[in-house]
Amino acid sequence: MCGIVGYIGNQTASAILLAGLRKLEYRGYDSAGIATLWDDEIHCVRAKGKLQNLQDRLEGVENPAQVGIGHTRWATHGKPEEYNAHPHMDTARRIAVVQNGIIENYRDLREDLKAKGHEFRSDTDTEVIPHLIAEYLKAIRAEEHLTPFLEAVRRAVNDLRGAFALAIVNADYPDELIAVKQQAPLAIGFGKGEFFCASDTPALVSHTRTVLTLENGEIARLTRLGVEVYNFAGDRLRKTPQTLNWNPILVEKQGFKHFMLKEIYEQPGVVRAGLEAYLDSEWTAQSLTSPIHLSLPEEFYADLEQIQIVACGTSWHASLVGKYLLEQLADIPTQVQYASEFRYGASPLTPHTLTIGVTQSGETADTLSALDMEKRRRTEMGGKFQPKLLGITNRTDSTLSHLVDHLINTHAGIEIGVAATKTFTAQLVAFYCLAIDLAYRRKTLSLDRLEEIVTELRLLPAQIESILEVQERYVEQLAHEFTETQDFIFIGRGINFPIALEGALKLKEISYIHAEGYPAGEMKHGPIALLDEKVPVVAIAMPGMVYEKVLSNAQEAKARDAKLIGVTPMNDAEAAEVFDHLLPVPAVEELLSPILTVIPLQFLAYHIAARRGLDVDQPRNLAKSVTVE
Ligand code: F6R
């Protein structure tokens, strides 16, 4: 949610900032801007809309600056207009600031600063920051502090309430760039005689793999000589950068039209990587250890009585599948809560409870706050209530990793398309592994049954490959039929009910078509009233406990003239009779089917949106990493 970048070195700053913003555009794309320092002045250029508009505006303008900051915005306070675009400056236009986050007490600060003569030009919360720094600088100059700019920023950030990451430049201190992190992500990149900062590492990897992820309450002072890190009290901290070991290829489209399509195709590899990481490839019912190795300490499993999961959006859907697995395989009561609801209505504390946060970005504000709240209230109670926190994410370098005791890395790598695809299937793999591990340890399944499940799990990557091979062209054709459709219903039951929710979410977020997911059996309790020949129904009908039931529910929809699309097993004669269109997947046991049944629904959403000519990777009003509440 908003991306910020900063550069200080000896190359042309504007080109580096623009390239960095391009890699962060998934975080917000309402407007963009850069501020660079040269000739004793700040040169600030901003444009409403996508980054391309800013790029067009900078085209042909000579800009020799070697220091600067940039921003791509997802609007919170103030409309997405140019005057609200970042960077924002103080009255004298000597200080420029970009922010990702929200300053909660900005109204009071703004009134205070206005009363002191500061002139405001935007509706944003961010604009108070440059004015506040300017106000502190006035006093500090008189005191002749060693690093006045840094000290003014330090004092200013101590006045701010909220979650924010900042990058700041000052025309009076042209050899410094200051970066601040407080509950919004910020990483520093180390080059030779040049240093970078960015909201996320994709903006850094083409320059350097040596990266320091700032922690909450830290301020970094970047000069051409190096990086100094301080806390908000002004104490210098010793920090060691890490070497990133992921491949920059992940942030390139590699010939695909959209990142979303590329990421759909990455799923066999991602599922394989998750299984290779945690599933013992030799395991049989005769083995004497768990089939799963999650590298969690023994005390993690001790006394476990309940699980609660907090997540948002697609990660919440993966968690619903997780609940099903944990309850059905490991016999452990599990609740799934929207993180945003949990924050203000947490369930009563239960002893010996594991709390799991599931998030692809590792930065979702609601999920992090829910986990933080849970950690605090359990720490206060102590004893049998003490916190036990587990994170499931593909971003092991994210803020989540600082908050939880243990992580399961889903091995999906970074995802750029705003609509989550490969991170969803990777989260499902993590839940399969956790549930199987717990089932083994709690002895809730026979070893033979575990062997059956493990054997089928190993087949999944090849089965996903076979869906990808045969289905895309067909779904692309099918999409033609539905580009003008206004409402869709998705139905599923049992373990495939969350997949109906996910199919509906994928479609609405990228195609802007209204879509709802329902448990198939609930249709007749109300939603069936919506059906007529204009409302297609997509049903997930996989053989198992609820197969016949879902087929009957689909028939009920057909009797109301709805067009029926079925996600069904290949060569299923019964299904062929019921549905108008089939999206077949390989025959698989129901328990494992969600990893396969979601793939045709991702294709369907993608091709309908692409056919409607929409920007699939950057749908309106959305952002990849939701770092505000
Ligand atoms: C949907 C989507 C969102 C995210 C949600 C949570 O395609 O991407 O619904 O799933 O914003 O994000 P994370 O998983 O980063 O916490």
Side-chain angles (χ1 to χ4, degrees), residues 190-222:
F190 290 65
K192 286 208 177 81
E194 57 178 2
F195 298 90
F196 312 77
C197 68
S199 299
D200 203 352
T201 43
L204 303 176
V205 283
S206 58
H207 306 289
T208 175
R209 303 264 185 104
T210 311
V211 167
L212 173 68
T213 309
L214 289 183
E215 291 185 38
N216 288 335
E218 290 185 347
I219 308 175
R221 177 170 175 265
L222 284 62

PDB file of all heavy atoms in Angstrom, residues 190-222:
ATOM      1  N   PHE A 190      22.550  -1.839   0.073  1.00  0.00           N
ATOM      2  CA  PHE A 190      23.941  -1.373   0.167  1.00  0.00           C
ATOM      3  C   PHE A 190      24.665  -1.618  -1.146  1.00  0.00           C
ATOM      4  O   PHE A 190      24.855  -2.768  -1.552  1.00  0.00           O
ATOM      5  CB  PHE A 190      24.687  -2.143   1.268  1.00  0.00           C
ATOM      6  CG  PHE A 190      24.222  -1.806   2.661  1.00  0.00           C
ATOM      7  CD1 PHE A 190      22.941  -2.119   3.076  1.00  0.00           C
ATOM      8  CD2 PHE A 190      25.076  -1.168   3.546  1.00  0.00           C
ATOM      9  CE1 PHE A 190      22.507  -1.805   4.356  1.00  0.00           C
ATOM     10  CE2 PHE A 190      24.656  -0.852   4.825  1.00  0.00           C
ATOM     11  CZ  PHE A 190      23.375  -1.167   5.230  1.00  0.00           C
ATOM     12  N   GLY A 191      25.089  -0.533  -1.834  1.00  0.00           N
ATOM     13  CA  GLY A 191      25.912  -0.675  -3.027  1.00  0.00           C
ATOM     14  C   GLY A 191      27.311  -0.169  -2.707  1.00  0.00           C
ATOM     15  O   GLY A 191      27.675   0.002  -1.541  1.00  0.00           O
ATOM     16  N   LYS A 192      28.132   0.094  -3.781  1.00  0.00           N
ATOM     17  CA  LYS A 192      29.476   0.642  -3.545  1.00  0.00           C
ATOM     18  C   LYS A 192      29.393   2.157  -3.725  1.00  0.00           C
ATOM     19  O   LYS A 192      29.224   2.643  -4.839  1.00  0.00           O
ATOM     20  CB  LYS A 192      30.447   0.057  -4.583  1.00  0.00           C
ATOM     21  CG  LYS A 192      30.801  -1.385  -4.311  1.00  0.00           C
ATOM     22  CD  LYS A 192      32.188  -1.722  -4.868  1.00  0.00           C
ATOM     23  CE  LYS A 192      32.573  -3.142  -4.540  1.00  0.00           C
ATOM     24  NZ  LYS A 192      31.969  -4.137  -5.449  1.00  0.00           N
ATOM     25  N   GLY A 193      29.478   2.876  -2.629  1.00  0.00           N
ATOM     26  CA  GLY A 193      29.373   4.345  -2.693  1.00  0.00           C
ATOM     27  C   GLY A 193      27.975   4.802  -3.037  1.00  0.00           C
ATOM     28  O   GLY A 193      27.746   5.967  -3.356  1.00  0.00           O
ATOM     29  N   GLU A 194      27.017   3.904  -3.012  1.00  0.00           N
ATOM     30  CA  GLU A 194      25.620   4.270  -3.268  1.00  0.00           C
ATOM     31  C   GLU A 194      24.711   3.417  -2.399  1.00  0.00           C
ATOM     32  O   GLU A 194      25.005   2.249  -2.128  1.00  0.00           O
ATOM     33  CB  GLU A 194      25.258   4.139  -4.750  1.00  0.00           C
ATOM     34  CG  GLU A 194      25.485   2.759  -5.312  1.00  0.00           C
ATOM     35  CD  GLU A 194      25.086   2.624  -6.774  1.00  0.00           C
ATOM     36  OE1 GLU A 194      24.657   3.601  -7.394  1.00  0.00           O
ATOM     37  OE2 GLU A 194      25.204   1.490  -7.285  1.00  0.00           O
ATOM     38  N   PHE A 195      23.623   4.042  -1.959  1.00  0.00           N
ATOM     39  CA  PHE A 195      22.715   3.359  -1.033  1.00  0.00           C
ATOM     40  C   PHE A 195      21.278   3.644  -1.442  1.00  0.00           C
ATOM     41  O   PHE A 195      20.985   4.682  -2.048  1.00  0.00           O
ATOM     42  CB  PHE A 195      23.005   3.810   0.409  1.00  0.00           C
ATOM     43  CG  PHE A 195      24.404   3.452   0.815  1.00  0.00           C
ATOM     44  CD1 PHE A 195      25.462   4.342   0.590  1.00  0.00           C
ATOM     45  CD2 PHE A 195      24.689   2.202   1.329  1.00  0.00           C
ATOM     46  CE1 PHE A 195      26.769   3.988   0.892  1.00  0.00           C
ATOM     47  CE2 PHE A 195      26.001   1.836   1.646  1.00  0.00           C
ATOM     48  CZ  PHE A 195      27.035   2.730   1.426  1.00  0.00           C
ATOM     49  N   PHE A 196      20.422   2.706  -1.118  1.00  0.00           N
ATOM     50  CA  PHE A 196      19.041   2.745  -1.581  1.00  0.00           C
ATOM     51  C   PHE A 196      18.116   2.497  -0.393  1.00  0.00           C
ATOM     52  O   PHE A 196      18.508   1.849   0.575  1.00  0.00           O
ATOM     53  CB  PHE A 196      18.779   1.630  -2.596  1.00  0.00           C
ATOM     54  CG  PHE A 196      19.815   1.513  -3.685  1.00  0.00           C
ATOM     55  CD1 PHE A 196      21.056   0.916  -3.447  1.00  0.00           C
ATOM     56  CD2 PHE A 196      19.549   2.001  -4.950  1.00  0.00           C
ATOM     57  CE1 PHE A 196      22.010   0.799  -4.448  1.00  0.00           C
ATOM     58  CE2 PHE A 196      20.492   1.887  -5.963  1.00  0.00           C
ATOM     59  CZ  PHE A 196      21.719   1.283  -5.713  1.00  0.00           C
ATOM     60  N   CYS A 197      16.873   2.938  -0.519  1.00  0.00           N
ATOM     61  CA  CYS A 197      15.871   2.425   0.413  1.00  0.00           C
ATOM     62  C   CYS A 197      14.608   2.161  -0.396  1.00  0.00           C
ATOM     63  O   CYS A 197      14.378   2.784  -1.440  1.00  0.00           O
ATOM     64  CB  CYS A 197      15.607   3.379   1.578  1.00  0.00           C
ATOM     65  SG  CYS A 197      14.810   4.908   1.128  1.00  0.00           S
ATOM     66  N   ALA A 198      13.807   1.224   0.074  1.00  0.00           N
ATOM     67  CA  ALA A 198      12.585   0.873  -0.658  1.00  0.00           C
ATOM     68  C   ALA A 198      11.623   0.122   0.248  1.00  0.00           C
ATOM     69  O   ALA A 198      12.047  -0.559   1.187  1.00  0.00           O
ATOM     70  CB  ALA A 198      12.927   0.002  -1.873  1.00  0.00           C
ATOM     71  N   SER A 199      10.344   0.248  -0.087  1.00  0.00           N
ATOM     72  CA  SER A 199       9.320  -0.470   0.675  1.00  0.00           C
ATOM     73  C   SER A 199       9.437  -1.970   0.538  1.00  0.00           C
ATOM     74  O   SER A 199       8.973  -2.715   1.381  1.00  0.00           O
ATOM     75  CB  SER A 199       7.920  -0.103   0.163  1.00  0.00           C
ATOM     76  OG  SER A 199       7.693   1.240   0.308  1.00  0.00           O
ATOM     77  N   ASP A 200      10.036  -2.417  -0.580  1.00  0.00           N
ATOM     78  CA  ASP A 200      10.118  -3.857  -0.783  1.00  0.00           C
ATOM     79  C   ASP A 200      11.361  -4.171  -1.625  1.00  0.00           C
ATOM     80  O   ASP A 200      11.791  -3.359  -2.463  1.00  0.00           O
ATOM     81  CB  ASP A 200       8.841  -4.355  -1.492  1.00  0.00           C
ATOM     82  CG  ASP A 200       8.606  -5.841  -1.241  1.00  0.00           C
ATOM     83  OD1 ASP A 200       9.480  -6.501  -0.663  1.00  0.00           O
ATOM     84  OD2 ASP A 200       7.534  -6.333  -1.652  1.00  0.00           O
ATOM     85  N   THR A 201      11.889  -5.366  -1.407  1.00  0.00           N
ATOM     86  CA  THR A 201      13.167  -5.722  -2.014  1.00  0.00           C
ATOM     87  C   THR A 201      13.185  -5.826  -3.556  1.00  0.00           C
ATOM     88  O   THR A 201      14.247  -5.649  -4.135  1.00  0.00           O
ATOM     89  CB  THR A 201      13.698  -7.026  -1.386  1.00  0.00           C
ATOM     90  OG1 THR A 201      12.602  -7.941  -1.267  1.00  0.00           O
ATOM     91  CG2 THR A 201      14.256  -6.769  -0.021  1.00  0.00           C
ATOM     92  N   PRO A 202      12.052  -6.077  -4.245  1.00  0.00           N
ATOM     93  CA  PRO A 202      12.139  -6.096  -5.712  1.00  0.00           C
ATOM     94  C   PRO A 202      12.726  -4.803  -6.289  1.00  0.00           C
ATOM     95  O   PRO A 202      13.339  -4.806  -7.354  1.00  0.00           O
ATOM     96  CB  PRO A 202      10.679  -6.261  -6.152  1.00  0.00           C
ATOM     97  CG  PRO A 202      10.032  -6.951  -5.029  1.00  0.00           C
ATOM     98  CD  PRO A 202      10.721  -6.480  -3.780  1.00  0.00           C
ATOM     99  N   ALA A 203      12.549  -3.701  -5.569  1.00  0.00           N
ATOM    100  CA  ALA A 203      13.090  -2.431  -6.069  1.00  0.00           C
ATOM    101  C   ALA A 203      14.601  -2.361  -5.874  1.00  0.00           C
ATOM    102  O   ALA A 203      15.264  -1.476  -6.417  1.00  0.00           O
ATOM    103  CB  ALA A 203      12.411  -1.268  -5.343  1.00  0.00           C
ATOM    104  N   LEU A 204      15.157  -3.264  -5.100  1.00  0.00           N
ATOM    105  CA  LEU A 204      16.590  -3.196  -4.782  1.00  0.00           C
ATOM    106  C   LEU A 204      17.423  -4.220  -5.548  1.00  0.00           C
ATOM    107  O   LEU A 204      18.589  -3.968  -5.838  1.00  0.00           O
ATOM    108  CB  LEU A 204      16.809  -3.445  -3.277  1.00  0.00           C
ATOM    109  CG  LEU A 204      16.072  -2.507  -2.308  1.00  0.00           C
ATOM    110  CD1 LEU A 204      16.315  -2.946  -0.868  1.00  0.00           C
ATOM    111  CD2 LEU A 204      16.537  -1.069  -2.505  1.00  0.00           C
ATOM    112  N   VAL A 205      16.819  -5.394  -5.867  1.00  0.00           N
ATOM    113  CA  VAL A 205      17.645  -6.525  -6.308  1.00  0.00           C
ATOM    114  C   VAL A 205      18.412  -6.304  -7.602  1.00  0.00           C
ATOM    115  O   VAL A 205      19.426  -6.958  -7.815  1.00  0.00           O
ATOM    116  CB  VAL A 205      16.862  -7.853  -6.419  1.00  0.00           C
ATOM    117  CG1 VAL A 205      16.619  -8.453  -5.061  1.00  0.00           C
ATOM    118  CG2 VAL A 205      15.589  -7.687  -7.194  1.00  0.00           C
ATOM    119  N   SER A 206      17.980  -5.384  -8.459  1.00  0.00           N
ATOM    120  CA  SER A 206      18.784  -5.192  -9.668  1.00  0.00           C
ATOM    121  C   SER A 206      20.036  -4.360  -9.351  1.00  0.00           C
ATOM    122  O   SER A 206      20.945  -4.274 -10.171  1.00  0.00           O
ATOM    123  CB  SER A 206      17.961  -4.534 -10.775  1.00  0.00           C
ATOM    124  OG  SER A 206      17.483  -3.311 -10.320  1.00  0.00           O
ATOM    125  N   HIS A 207      20.103  -3.762  -8.159  1.00  0.00           N
ATOM    126  CA  HIS A 207      21.286  -2.977  -7.775  1.00  0.00           C
ATOM    127  C   HIS A 207      22.168  -3.709  -6.777  1.00  0.00           C
ATOM    128  O   HIS A 207      23.384  -3.620  -6.819  1.00  0.00           O
ATOM    129  CB  HIS A 207      20.862  -1.650  -7.135  1.00  0.00           C
ATOM    130  CG  HIS A 207      19.935  -0.862  -7.992  1.00  0.00           C
ATOM    131  ND1 HIS A 207      20.357  -0.251  -9.144  1.00  0.00           N
ATOM    132  CD2 HIS A 207      18.614  -0.595  -7.874  1.00  0.00           C
ATOM    133  CE1 HIS A 207      19.319   0.360  -9.708  1.00  0.00           C
ATOM    134  NE2 HIS A 207      18.259   0.159  -8.965  1.00  0.00           N
ATOM    135  N   THR A 208      21.528  -4.398  -5.840  1.00  0.00           N
ATOM    136  CA  THR A 208      22.296  -5.062  -4.796  1.00  0.00           C
ATOM    137  C   THR A 208      21.467  -6.161  -4.142  1.00  0.00           C
ATOM    138  O   THR A 208      20.244  -6.066  -4.098  1.00  0.00           O
ATOM    139  CB  THR A 208      22.729  -4.054  -3.708  1.00  0.00           C
ATOM    140  OG1 THR A 208      23.375  -4.770  -2.647  1.00  0.00           O
ATOM    141  CG2 THR A 208      21.548  -3.285  -3.102  1.00  0.00           C
ATOM    142  N   ARG A 209      22.161  -7.178  -3.629  1.00  0.00           N
ATOM    143  CA  ARG A 209      21.471  -8.217  -2.847  1.00  0.00           C
ATOM    144  C   ARG A 209      21.768  -8.022  -1.356  1.00  0.00           C
ATOM    145  O   ARG A 209      21.328  -8.802  -0.540  1.00  0.00           O
ATOM    146  CB  ARG A 209      21.962  -9.608  -3.248  1.00  0.00           C
ATOM    147  CG  ARG A 209      21.802  -9.930  -4.707  1.00  0.00           C
ATOM    148  CD  ARG A 209      20.511 -10.703  -4.939  1.00  0.00           C
ATOM    149  NE  ARG A 209      20.452 -11.093  -6.330  1.00  0.00           N
ATOM    150  CZ  ARG A 209      20.697 -12.323  -6.767  1.00  0.00           C
ATOM    151  NH1 ARG A 209      20.983 -13.273  -5.930  1.00  0.00           N
ATOM    152  NH2 ARG A 209      20.635 -12.582  -8.061  1.00  0.00           N
ATOM    153  N   THR A 210      22.601  -7.002  -1.029  1.00  0.00           N
ATOM    154  CA  THR A 210      22.944  -6.779   0.384  1.00  0.00           C
ATOM    155  C   THR A 210      21.932  -5.810   0.963  1.00  0.00           C
ATOM    156  O   THR A 210      21.882  -4.638   0.573  1.00  0.00           O
ATOM    157  CB  THR A 210      24.376  -6.217   0.500  1.00  0.00           C
ATOM    158  OG1 THR A 210      25.215  -7.039  -0.278  1.00  0.00           O
ATOM    159  CG2 THR A 210      24.844  -6.183   1.934  1.00  0.00           C
ATOM    160  N   VAL A 211      21.117  -6.330   1.865  1.00  0.00           N
ATOM    161  CA  VAL A 211      19.931  -5.583   2.277  1.00  0.00           C
ATOM    162  C   VAL A 211      19.780  -5.629   3.798  1.00  0.00           C
ATOM    163  O   VAL A 211      20.032  -6.656   4.428  1.00  0.00           O
ATOM    164  CB  VAL A 211      18.678  -6.225   1.607  1.00  0.00           C
ATOM    165  CG1 VAL A 211      17.393  -5.720   2.213  1.00  0.00           C
ATOM    166  CG2 VAL A 211      18.695  -5.933   0.103  1.00  0.00           C
ATOM    167  N   LEU A 212      19.389  -4.501   4.356  1.00  0.00           N
ATOM    168  CA  LEU A 212      19.071  -4.454   5.790  1.00  0.00           C
ATOM    169  C   LEU A 212      17.591  -4.107   5.923  1.00  0.00           C
ATOM    170  O   LEU A 212      17.149  -3.067   5.427  1.00  0.00           O
ATOM    171  CB  LEU A 212      19.914  -3.363   6.463  1.00  0.00           C
ATOM    172  CG  LEU A 212      19.580  -3.085   7.919  1.00  0.00           C
ATOM    173  CD1 LEU A 212      19.964  -4.271   8.789  1.00  0.00           C
ATOM    174  CD2 LEU A 212      20.301  -1.837   8.397  1.00  0.00           C
ATOM    175  N   THR A 213      16.827  -4.992   6.558  1.00  0.00           N
ATOM    176  CA  THR A 213      15.410  -4.698   6.778  1.00  0.00           C
ATOM    177  C   THR A 213      15.322  -3.930   8.086  1.00  0.00           C
ATOM    178  O   THR A 213      15.699  -4.449   9.136  1.00  0.00           O
ATOM    179  CB  THR A 213      14.607  -6.008   6.885  1.00  0.00           C
ATOM    180  OG1 THR A 213      14.937  -6.802   5.757  1.00  0.00           O
ATOM    181  CG2 THR A 213      13.121  -5.751   6.904  1.00  0.00           C
ATOM    182  N   LEU A 214      14.858  -2.694   8.027  1.00  0.00           N
ATOM    183  CA  LEU A 214      14.752  -1.907   9.265  1.00  0.00           C
ATOM    184  C   LEU A 214      13.676  -2.497  10.155  1.00  0.00           C
ATOM    185  O   LEU A 214      12.718  -3.095   9.682  1.00  0.00           O
ATOM    186  CB  LEU A 214      14.412  -0.453   8.941  1.00  0.00           C
ATOM    187  CG  LEU A 214      15.503   0.397   8.280  1.00  0.00           C
ATOM    188  CD1 LEU A 214      15.008   1.836   8.112  1.00  0.00           C
ATOM    189  CD2 LEU A 214      16.803   0.379   9.074  1.00  0.00           C
ATOM    190  N   GLU A 215      13.841  -2.289  11.454  1.00  0.00           N
ATOM    191  CA  GLU A 215      12.807  -2.725  12.405  1.00  0.00           C
ATOM    192  C   GLU A 215      12.045  -1.513  12.899  1.00  0.00           C
ATOM    193  O   GLU A 215      12.477  -0.360  12.707  1.00  0.00           O
ATOM    194  CB  GLU A 215      13.461  -3.484  13.549  1.00  0.00           C
ATOM    195  CG  GLU A 215      14.012  -4.807  13.041  1.00  0.00           C
ATOM    196  CD  GLU A 215      14.578  -5.679  14.116  1.00  0.00           C
ATOM    197  OE1 GLU A 215      14.016  -5.716  15.215  1.00  0.00           O
ATOM    198  OE2 GLU A 215      15.602  -6.321  13.829  1.00  0.00           O
ATOM    199  N   ASN A 216      10.912  -1.778  13.546  1.00  0.00           N
ATOM    200  CA  ASN A 216      10.081  -0.667  14.024  1.00  0.00           C
ATOM    201  C   ASN A 216      10.877   0.252  14.941  1.00  0.00           C
ATOM    202  O   ASN A 216      11.685  -0.205  15.744  1.00  0.00           O
ATOM    203  CB  ASN A 216       8.875  -1.202  14.794  1.00  0.00           C
ATOM    204  CG  ASN A 216       7.889  -1.843  13.856  1.00  0.00           C
ATOM    205  OD1 ASN A 216       7.857  -1.508  12.666  1.00  0.00           O
ATOM    206  ND2 ASN A 216       7.100  -2.769  14.362  1.00  0.00           N
ATOM    207  N   GLY A 217      10.625   1.553  14.777  1.00  0.00           N
ATOM    208  CA  GLY A 217      11.289   2.518  15.660  1.00  0.00           C
ATOM    209  C   GLY A 217      12.734   2.773  15.269  1.00  0.00           C
ATOM    210  O   GLY A 217      13.535   3.150  16.115  1.00  0.00           O
ATOM    211  N   GLU A 218      13.076   2.555  13.988  1.00  0.00           N
ATOM    212  CA  GLU A 218      14.465   2.800  13.566  1.00  0.00           C
ATOM    213  C   GLU A 218      14.538   3.894  12.502  1.00  0.00           C
ATOM    214  O   GLU A 218      13.647   4.030  11.652  1.00  0.00           O
ATOM    215  CB  GLU A 218      15.089   1.503  13.031  1.00  0.00           C
ATOM    216  CG  GLU A 218      15.323   0.498  14.150  1.00  0.00           C
ATOM    217  CD  GLU A 218      16.053  -0.759  13.720  1.00  0.00           C
ATOM    218  OE1 GLU A 218      16.192  -1.015  12.492  1.00  0.00           O
ATOM    219  OE2 GLU A 218      16.466  -1.503  14.622  1.00  0.00           O
ATOM    220  N   ILE A 219      15.638   4.647  12.583  1.00  0.00           N
ATOM    221  CA  ILE A 219      15.894   5.731  11.616  1.00  0.00           C
ATOM    222  C   ILE A 219      17.248   5.437  10.984  1.00  0.00           C
ATOM    223  O   ILE A 219      18.215   5.171  11.699  1.00  0.00           O
ATOM    224  CB  ILE A 219      15.989   7.098  12.322  1.00  0.00           C
ATOM    225  CG1 ILE A 219      14.768   7.331  13.215  1.00  0.00           C
ATOM    226  CG2 ILE A 219      16.162   8.228  11.316  1.00  0.00           C
ATOM    227  CD1 ILE A 219      14.854   8.618  14.027  1.00  0.00           C
ATOM    228  N   ALA A 220      17.304   5.467   9.638  1.00  0.00           N
ATOM    229  CA  ALA A 220      18.587   5.241   8.967  1.00  0.00           C
ATOM    230  C   ALA A 220      19.023   6.545   8.298  1.00  0.00           C
ATOM    231  O   ALA A 220      18.215   7.212   7.648  1.00  0.00           O
ATOM    232  CB  ALA A 220      18.451   4.132   7.935  1.00  0.00           C
ATOM    233  N   ARG A 221      20.291   6.881   8.474  1.00  0.00           N
ATOM    234  CA  ARG A 221      20.855   8.066   7.799  1.00  0.00           C
ATOM    235  C   ARG A 221      21.792   7.549   6.707  1.00  0.00           C
ATOM    236  O   ARG A 221      22.803   6.904   6.994  1.00  0.00           O
ATOM    237  CB  ARG A 221      21.616   8.925   8.810  1.00  0.00           C
ATOM    238  CG  ARG A 221      22.294  10.128   8.227  1.00  0.00           C
ATOM    239  CD  ARG A 221      22.811  11.033   9.345  1.00  0.00           C
ATOM    240  NE  ARG A 221      23.567  12.139   8.829  1.00  0.00           N
ATOM    241  CZ  ARG A 221      24.902  12.157   8.697  1.00  0.00           C
ATOM    242  NH1 ARG A 221      25.612  11.112   9.073  1.00  0.00           N
ATOM    243  NH2 ARG A 221      25.509  13.218   8.215  1.00  0.00           N
ATOM    244  N   LEU A 222      21.397   7.801   5.456  1.00  0.00           N
ATOM    245  CA  LEU A 222      22.169   7.308   4.317  1.00  0.00           C
ATOM    246  C   LEU A 222      23.007   8.453   3.757  1.00  0.00           C
ATOM    247  O   LEU A 222      22.467   9.536   3.464  1.00  0.00           O
ATOM    248  CB  LEU A 222      21.241   6.807   3.205  1.00  0.00           C
ATOM    249  CG  LEU A 222      20.547   5.447   3.354  1.00  0.00           C
ATOM    250  CD1 LEU A 222      19.605   5.403   4.554  1.00  0.00           C
ATOM    251  CD2 LEU A 222      19.752   5.127   2.096  1.00  0.00           C
TER     252      LEU A 222
END
